[in-house]
Amino acid sequence: MSRAYSWTITGYCPWFLGISTGLVLLLGAALSTPYLRYRFSDASSLRQLPISMRVPSKGPGQPPVLAYSISGRGGDAARMLRLLEATYHPRNQYLLQLDHDHERIQLALSVQSETVFRAYGNVHVVGRSYAVNPMGASALASTLHAAALLLRISPHWDWVVVLSASDYPLVPQDDLLHAFSFLPRDLNFIDFTSSTGWKERQKANRIVVDPSLYLKKKAPLFYAVESRAAPDAFKVFGGSPYVILSRGFTDYCVNGWDNLPRKLLMYFNNVLLPLELYFHTVLCNSPEFHNTTVADDLGLSYSVAWHTGTGQPRQLDISHYDKMVSGHAVFARAFKEGDQLLSKIDADVLRRAEDRVVPGKWCEFGPAKGMDARSLMCPADNCTSWGDINSIRPGSSGLKLATLFSKLGKGGRLRANHCHNT
């Protein structure tokens, strides 16, 4: 992709910098606060796409729209950009949160320098950093903030996918959109632990204070000596912090038309690892949503299998790799920057060349000169090759995943009340 660009600066506020593709986002209650905006002009004379090719069609027979919330910390800018390219599809929406000022500016400039991101205007970078402790309530606040922004950015998306910079997809977006086309749009993919019960209650009973909620820089948690009594107004559930949530349930958590989401948010403000508890507990205690669960976050972890104690990547273990790509997981975690496994996934699974988005039906392409056929690149700067974003072309992994979803639906497992079965 071309990195050429020119820019001008308009607007000013000394404490805030906001940069996005098509939309500048501000933390806080008002999105109209002054900001420093970067406007880019494309050196390659960007072709204006018809509205029918830029706005996703909705309705029966149309693929869904996914909203990706991608978060990172200092040192994660390159990984976040790579994850963005690996998950990119012009139907979707993308929100990037990075808690490092300088790197966030560089990330936003990298996003703005890509012709394809500017053309579709669906990639957004949160414009101001704030302290986040991944073990405390500040992480939950950050996740809910991203959800609130995504709800405001676009009315079109069906599910929000929560990822971190260490995650990576195991299927192309055309495959994922095809498989999700067969599902009711109100389902929530959320993994429950087998120990849901006393262990989760013990975790919730311990009183924790997260100073990152009120300090500019991330701070360690404070642990109280005393514990509190177990709640009897609701039951605590827990599991994986990585979730795929329906738009309806996301809206309920952000705007809660009854008191449950707010009450639980106040309760989990003083809990260790609330991201492993909050959405699970809200979902399972809500009469409206408790029967919309799929007890699977569609992800898997290979952090132990793939990395040594020194943090250096191990040599590829083909048996582990084969198990990873042959399963039904669509995301894997947690990878370190430069892990050679990512390049293998790019070449063999995503067919993505370095610094290129994943090709699909929307982007017709051919082999790049001097490259192997499996390392095809999408010619994102050649606008004449861009196609209809409402058309998808699934591969074998998409067909396999769709078959799995279909079998789960026929067996009644998609709407089983997993909250009461754990």
XYZ file of all heavy atoms in Angstrom, residues 23 51 57 89 112 115-116 135 182 196 215 219 242 250 263 270 279 332 339 359 361 378 419-420:
192
model
N -13.711 10.217 10.898
C -14.369 10.650 12.132
C -13.328 10.781 13.218
O -12.509 9.901 13.421
C -15.421 9.623 12.561
C -16.171 9.929 13.855
C -16.998 11.188 13.719
C -17.043 8.760 14.239
N -21.589 5.519 -3.636
C -22.103 5.259 -2.293
C -22.514 3.807 -2.130
O -22.390 3.217 -1.057
C -23.292 6.198 -1.984
C -23.678 6.094 -0.494
C -24.488 5.900 -2.870
C -22.671 6.674 0.439
N -24.954 -3.011 2.512
C -26.391 -3.288 2.417
C -26.809 -4.161 3.589
O -26.070 -5.045 4.025
C -26.717 -3.999 1.100
O -26.433 -3.158 0.003
N -12.078 -5.583 6.322
C -13.075 -5.717 5.253
C -13.870 -4.414 5.222
O -14.238 -3.891 6.286
C -14.004 -6.902 5.515
C -14.840 -7.281 4.330
N -15.934 -6.545 3.905
C -14.730 -8.320 3.459
C -16.467 -7.121 2.841
N -15.762 -8.190 2.549
N -4.113 6.786 8.193
C -4.491 7.804 7.227
C -3.701 7.695 5.932
O -4.149 8.162 4.883
C -4.293 9.201 7.823
C -5.329 9.580 8.868
C -6.648 10.011 8.230
O -6.943 9.660 7.105
N -7.425 10.776 8.965
N -4.594 4.185 1.356
C -5.658 4.589 0.447
C -6.970 3.881 0.741
O -8.037 4.490 0.757
C -5.252 4.297 -1.011
O -4.022 4.961 -1.295
C -6.315 4.764 -1.990
N -6.911 2.581 0.995
C -8.126 1.801 1.172
C -8.875 2.209 2.438
O -10.108 2.285 2.448
C -7.811 0.287 1.176
C -6.956 -0.099 2.375
C -9.081 -0.536 1.133
N -5.933 -5.439 34.687
C -6.501 -6.269 35.748
C -7.597 -5.558 36.535
O -8.221 -6.164 37.406
C -5.394 -6.718 36.707
C -4.311 -7.557 36.067
S -3.033 -8.043 37.247
C -3.963 -9.078 38.373
N -25.398 -17.108 8.675
C -26.381 -18.146 8.965
C -26.893 -18.075 10.407
O -27.683 -18.929 10.821
C -25.770 -19.521 8.713
C -25.439 -19.776 7.267
C -24.211 -19.401 6.735
C -26.371 -20.370 6.424
C -23.904 -19.627 5.400
C -26.072 -20.590 5.087
C -24.846 -20.221 4.571
N -17.323 -21.678 37.080
C -18.270 -20.629 37.442
C -19.023 -21.051 38.700
O -19.652 -22.094 38.733
C -19.270 -20.387 36.302
O -18.554 -19.920 35.165
C -20.301 -19.350 36.699
N -6.078 8.431 38.052
C -4.734 8.944 37.847
C -4.406 8.991 36.360
O -4.962 8.230 35.565
C -3.706 8.066 38.575
C -3.832 7.991 40.101
C -2.767 7.060 40.661
C -3.731 9.372 40.729
N -1.425 2.700 37.369
C -0.902 2.449 38.706
C -1.302 1.054 39.147
O -2.301 0.501 38.672
C -1.432 3.497 39.689
N -12.470 -12.262 26.365
C -12.637 -12.007 24.931
C -14.033 -12.433 24.523
O -14.416 -13.591 24.691
C -11.575 -12.756 24.130
C -10.176 -12.350 24.527
C -9.458 -13.088 25.459
C -9.595 -11.211 23.992
C -8.179 -12.708 25.842
C -8.318 -10.822 24.355
C -7.613 -11.565 25.274
O -6.358 -11.188 25.666
N -24.942 -5.208 23.494
C -23.973 -4.131 23.695
C -24.680 -2.831 24.050
O -24.276 -2.109 24.974
C -23.121 -3.931 22.434
O -22.479 -5.159 22.080
C -22.055 -2.865 22.659
N -26.000 -1.192 37.953
C -25.764 -1.748 39.300
C -24.551 -2.682 39.287
O -23.695 -2.615 40.185
C -27.014 -2.493 39.777
C -26.877 -3.086 41.170
C -28.224 -3.512 41.724
C -28.852 -4.631 40.914
N -30.119 -5.109 41.545
N -14.920 -2.596 42.003
C -13.966 -2.986 43.049
C -13.667 -4.477 43.012
O -13.566 -5.137 44.048
C -14.504 -2.593 44.429
C -14.678 -1.102 44.588
O -15.784 -0.609 44.738
N -13.577 -0.364 44.531
N -19.553 -8.882 31.673
C -20.500 -9.208 30.604
C -21.182 -10.549 30.859
O -22.366 -10.719 30.560
C -19.787 -9.221 29.245
C -19.288 -7.874 28.815
C -17.928 -7.607 28.771
C -20.180 -6.865 28.487
C -17.465 -6.360 28.371
C -19.733 -5.610 28.098
C -18.366 -5.355 28.043
N -6.797 -16.525 17.430
C -5.845 -17.165 18.336
C -5.100 -16.080 19.093
O -4.961 -14.957 18.621
C -4.867 -18.045 17.561
N 6.507 -12.871 15.846
C 6.363 -14.324 15.909
C 6.273 -14.883 14.488
O 5.452 -14.446 13.680
C 5.099 -14.681 16.690
C 5.071 -16.140 17.110
O 5.460 -17.000 16.295
O 4.653 -16.420 18.243
N -7.140 -10.232 0.825
C -7.990 -10.158 -0.368
C -9.319 -10.860 -0.152
O -9.457 -11.724 0.708
C -7.156 -10.867 -1.444
C -6.249 -11.772 -0.682
C -5.949 -11.071 0.609
N -13.697 -11.042 -2.084
C -14.562 -10.779 -3.225
C -14.597 -9.294 -3.565
O -14.696 -8.920 -4.724
C -15.965 -11.291 -2.922
C -16.990 -11.064 -4.021
C -16.671 -11.857 -5.276
C -17.793 -11.736 -6.298
N -17.502 -12.456 -7.552
N -3.581 -7.671 -2.268
C -4.695 -6.880 -2.775
C -4.158 -5.537 -3.241
O -3.552 -4.814 -2.457
C -5.726 -6.684 -1.672
S -7.112 -5.673 -2.153
N -26.073 -20.225 30.862
C -25.870 -19.582 32.166
C -26.252 -20.535 33.308
O -25.594 -20.526 34.365
C -26.752 -18.336 32.268
S -26.341 -17.038 31.066
N -27.253 -21.339 33.112
C -27.706 -22.237 34.178
C -27.113 -23.635 34.068
O -27.366 -24.486 34.886
C -29.235 -22.339 34.158
C -29.905 -21.043 34.514
N -31.258 -20.865 34.415
C -29.385 -19.872 34.956
C -31.571 -19.621 34.787
N -30.441 -19.013 35.114
